[in-house]
Amino acid sequence: MNNIRTVTGGGNLKGKIKVPGDKSISHRALIIASIAEGETLIEGFLHSEDPLSTADCLRKLGINIPHIKEDQPFKISGSGLDSFKEPKEILNCGNSGTTMRLLMGLLAGQEGKNFILIGDDSLNDRPMGRVSKPLSLMGGRISGRENGSKAPISIEGNKLKGCVIGTPVASAQVKSALLLAGLKASGSTSVIEPASSRDHTERMLKAFGADIEIRGELGRNIVITPGKPLIGQKILIPGDISSAAFWMIAASIVPNSEVLIKNIGLNPTRTGILNVMDAMGCNYEIVEKSIIAGEPIGSINVKTANNLRAFTIEGDILPTLIDEIPILTVAACFCKGVSEIKDAKELRVKETDRLKVMARQLRKFGAKILEKEDGLIITGESKFNAADVDSETDHRVAMSLAIASLLAKGSSKISRADASKVSYPTFWDDLAKLTN
Ligand code: S3P
């Protein structure tokens, strides 16, 4: 994966675009369809490396998932919560934290069956104790490197009991793992989050007929009670706002731009970027709003805005824009004033340490960024000069650096640019289309 792309600054972005399907919803569609009874039709699936890793693991677990073709709906016929066989092979989750963590929860309650999960170099270094520890409170038997906290992970399926679990981090992956485990437990499982993380699992389980309840004034207590069968549904996956984010920011900052991004998911647990764009003074409009399969969607039209203002990101908003921090760091470089990103320690345990990597790479263009333990301080109104930069294997870094290059004087080179395939396989084609 040492593909180099050249991006030249100075142009503008114009046009209409449809970004690929939502990554989080794509994973969940495969998993929940596999444990439902009857047929599920999936449309708008994200045909990229991460969800395809989930598909591959589920096939090894005996689920009949057809060969998935780009832009073609497909069906999965599940036969309930006990559809899994003990696989002969190791389950390789690739670069995908969602695959590994959700499978840990899904498989912990498969009594009498054993499973081994691995990932690539990046994933094998990411924290898994945040899932294995709470699962062990439910009776899960999970071991792994560094006392169960890192992959390779071994799961010995066991009888689970429901319990009340407070998660120390607001992570949808952790929450979803516990809810999936809760489907196989005796009694209810109650998950309490410190802040609300994306709720696609809750919405989809509810749509499939699960007994799931959202409690508490802030909706941070989710209770799942096993027993009700999940019934196959039709799932229409909207475009991923985390992929749209690159164009939303690019069109706001690159002079003389206007981009219409069609059909993107606008679930309120994912739209923190819009709050930041409001604070910056961006010029955008949401049109064609609707609700499809329980998820709000809409199209967003973004035009260049002048005099963008610095912003601060901190506290409970973080989980709602967690994957947008790399591109918002680029945005901050072109705002007036000093922007600050706080409470963002989670960024250090993503596909790369995104605080360190973004600061290191953007400085090559001339960005003024100070790295703090839990965030970044970015001094705006930068003048970027072309640079040779590196995604360091991180998909969102690769795409953020492409947008940064559009704002630099001259031609920049981005190494390991194909990391973008993890979540946005057509990113470079779309960039060419919009900048033509
Ligand atoms: C995801 C949740 C987030 C996000 C990741 C996808 C999900 O991770 O960063 O890209 O699909 O649940 P955390 O839940 O660990 O914050």
Side-chain angles (χ1 to χ4, degrees):
M1 196 171 60
N2 194 15
N3 171 283
I4 299 174
R5 297 270 177 173
T6 303
V7 178
T8 304
N12 60 357
L13 293 104
K14 288 266 180 216
K16 190 161 77 173
I17 200 156
K18 199 171 164 291
V19 295
D22 188 280
K23 179 157 83 70
S24 294
I25 302 178
S26 294
H27 285 291
R28 285 154 176 84
L30 293 174
I31 290 174
I32 296 175
S34 299
I35 54 174
E37 290 168 20
E39 205 171 78
T40 292
L41 174 71
I42 301 174
E43 246 177 82
F45 181 80
L46 170 64
H47 195 270
S48 79
E49 287 176 359
D50 267 15
L52 291 174
S53 293
T54 295
D56 195 45
C57 290
L58 290 168
R59 284 191 194 102
K60 288 186 178 140
L61 287 161
I63 306 296
N64 187 5
I65 298 188
H67 175 67
I68 304 171
K69 295 194 195 116
E70 228 180 304
D71 291 328
Q72 278 193 25
F74 59 96
K75 288 178 184 162
I76 296 178
S77 286
S79 43
L81 288 164
D82 296 310
S83 313
F84 302 119
K85 66 168 199 210
E86 190 177 60
K88 281 191 203 151
E89 291 163 88
I90 289 173
L91 304 174
N92 190 341
C93 306
N95 191 244
S96 174
T98 309
T99 307
M100 186 169 280
R101 294 192 176 117
L102 267 56
L103 286 186
M104 285 167 76
L106 187 73
L107 301 174
Q110 292 288 315
E111 280 175 72
K113 296 171 199 164
N114 293 281
F115 312 90
I116 295 177
L117 308 182
I118 58 159
D120 66 5
D121 277 356
S122 150
L123 184 56
N124 288 343
D125 262 337
R126 293 179 66 187
M128 295 299 144
R130 53 178 61 191
V131 182
S132 59
K133 277 198 197 117
L135 282 175
S136 71
L137 298 176
M138 298 175 72
R141 289 189 188 153
I142 298 174
S143 48
R145 221 157 42 85
E146 297 186 19
N147 212 9
S149 70
K150 294 213 172 134
I153 293 285
S154 158
I155 302 169
E156 198 186 327
N158 196 27
K159 206 173 184 55
L160 302 181
K161 56 178 190 304
C163 54
V164 179
I165 301 165
T167 59
V169 279
S171 159
Q173 296 180 354
V174 174
K175 171 179 65 177
S176 302
L178 299 174
L179 295 175
L180 291 169
L183 288 169
K184 284 284 288 172
S186 60
S188 300
T189 298
S190 170
V191 184
I192 303 162
E193 294 195 278
S196 296
S197 65
R198 64 192 67 188
D199 65 357
H200 306 299
T201 303
E202 295 91 303
R203 284 175 192 253
M204 202 179 286
L205 283 173
K206 199 175 197 108
F208 275 69
D211 182 349
I212 187 161
E213 227 188 292
I214 316 297
R215 293 189 190 155
E217 220 176 289
L218 300 169
R220 293 178 185 170
N221 179 9
I222 301 106
V223 183
I224 187 141
T225 305
K228 280 182 81 181
L230 304 176
I231 307 295
Q233 302 292 319
K234 183 174 176 194
I235 304 175
L236 234 169
I237 301 173
D240 197 326
I241 189 167
S242 298
S243 298
F246 300 105
W247 312 124
M248 286 152 63
I249 294 301
S252 297
I253 299 174
V254 176
N256 301 317
S257 298
E258 179 167 1
V259 177
L260 174 67
I261 312 148
K262 300 280 288 176
N263 284 339
I264 56 175
L266 293 173
N267 178 316
T269 60
R270 298 285 301 280
T271 50
I273 186 171
L274 296 177
N275 299 58
V276 179
M277 286 174 68
D278 291 338
M280 284 167 65
C282 290
N283 184 358
Y284 72 90
E285 196 188 352
I286 296 175
V287 291
E288 304 168 333
K289 285 190 215 169
S290 65
I291 304 243
I292 293 192
E295 293 276 354
I297 68 161
S299 300
I300 173 163
N301 194 56
V302 189
K303 290 186 195 164
T304 310
N306 298 315
N307 306 318
L308 291 170
R309 299 182 290 267
F311 54 85
T312 298
I313 298 174
E314 62 186 329
D316 289 357
I317 197 173
L318 255 297
T320 70
L321 44 66
I322 189 84
D323 293 336
E324 285 66 83
I325 296 289
I327 189 62
L328 287 171
T329 306
V330 175
C333 295
F334 297 92
C335 290
K336 189 175 168 60
V338 177
S339 294
E340 199 164 347
I341 298 168
K342 302 180 193 174
D343 306 321
K345 258 200 194 135
E346 271 299 287
L347 269 287
R348 297 210 180 272
V349 292
K350 292 293 176 191
E351 287 80 334
T352 58
D353 176 342
R354 287 181 173 161
L355 298 180
K356 189 178 264 18
V357 171
M358 285 307 297
R360 179 159 56 213
Q361 296 300 328
L362 288 179
R363 280 188 199 122
K364 295 181 186 172
F365 291 106
K368 294 178 214 98
I369 304 185
L370 187 70
E371 195 185 329
K372 308 275 280 183
E373 203 198 327
D374 73 336
L376 299 170
I377 298 178
I378 305 127
T379 303
E381 294 183 287
S382 287
K383 293 270 174 283
F384 273 18
N385 285 311
D388 286 355
V389 290
D390 181 6
S391 76
E392 305 197 29
T393 75
D394 188 320
H395 56 129
R396 301 207 196 275
V397 173
M399 295 183 275
S400 300
L401 294 176
I403 304 307
S405 304
L406 290 176
L407 293 146
K409 191 164 182 273
S411 291
S412 298
K413 285 195 165 59
I414 302 155
S415 304
R416 293 188 273 187
D418 271 8
S420 57
K421 281 187 187 160
V422 158
S423 61
Y424 196 161
T426 50
F427 175 80
W428 299 100
D429 299 336
D430 287 351
L431 177 66
K433 191 173 136 193
L434 289 172
T435 49
N436 241 328

